[in-house]
Amino acid sequence: MGKIEWAMWANEQALASGLILLTGGIVGVAGQFRGWQFAAYAVAAGVFVCLLEYPRSKRSKGTSVARTGQYCFTVCVKAFGPLTRNYYIRAFLHAAISVPGGFMLATVLGCVCLGIASLIYLAAAIRGEHWEPILPHKETRKPVAESIKNPPQNPPPRPPPEMRRKRVDDLEGAAYDNPISVTANE
């Protein structure tokens, strides 16, 4: 069975929790709830978490798919070097960011989700994973094979090439020798 890449799960969890924290903060500030200052903090924290978590990391298998428009965020996150590349730092950063969200009902769900993302990042760090940027690369085109240039002439199912009957045009002017008629003449 394959190895689980915990950072991939942590990234999705943290991005979703950043959006939840942002939404709860907006509700708390707009409603002028008691302790709305915590909601204002949650808005800022949610935006920060979303910006940090939007660029996906390259998978160890190499089957990474970048998010739409992730390149500019990738450059920003990559610029901070080991601070954003190390998952131990991300785990403790998310745990610290989530604490003030627990003091207000509108932001508790985002706080809990970010705490879970922090635990998943800690599991990824313990297993030795780290953030690797997905950078665009120039695609090299392979030459088109002869079989693609000349599509098949007969419909499926097609027998293997060695079992196909030869066309008279392909025999270079040689006549077809019927083995039955040759043995009957002898």
Side-chain angles (χ1 to χ4, degrees), residues 49-119:
V49 169
C50 289
L51 292 176
L52 178 65
E53 295 297 333
Y54 189 73
R56 280 190 181 137
S57 174
K58 186 186 297 185
R59 294 183 64 196
S60 61
K61 287 182 180 179
T63 57
S64 307
V65 176
R67 287 189 174 102
T68 305
Q70 138 174 347
Y71 178 71
C72 60
F73 296 111
T74 301
V75 171
C76 294
V77 171
K78 184 181 173 189
F80 288 98
L83 290 176
T84 54
R85 190 169 292 196
N86 189 341
Y87 285 148
Y88 282 112
I89 293 173
R90 281 197 187 192
F92 293 120
L93 179 68
H94 288 329
I97 287 174
S98 70
V99 171
F103 293 111
M104 187 174 186
L105 185 60
T107 59
V108 167
L109 182 60
C111 165
V112 171
C113 291
L114 198 57
I116 292 170
S118 172
L119 292 174

Side-chain angles (χ1 to χ4, degrees), residues 138-160:
K138 293 183 179 179
E139 294 183 25
T140 57
R141 290 191 164 219
K142 296 179 182 176
V144 179
E146 284 296 321
S147 63
I148 295 175
K149 288 181 184 174
N150 300 326
Q153 300 298 322
N154 55 340
R158 290 182 276 286

Side-chain angles (χ1 to χ4, degrees), residues 3 26 46 51 61 69 76 95-96 99 103 114 117 120 125 127 132 134-136 146 150 156 162-163 178:
K3 178 185 162 193
I26 290 171
L51 292 176
K61 287 182 180 179
C76 294
V99 171
F103 293 111
L114 198 57
I120 300 171
R127 287 177 170 64
E132 219 29 69
I134 300 175
L135 297 174
E146 284 296 321
N150 300 326
E162 61 273 1
M163 298 297 293
N178 187 349

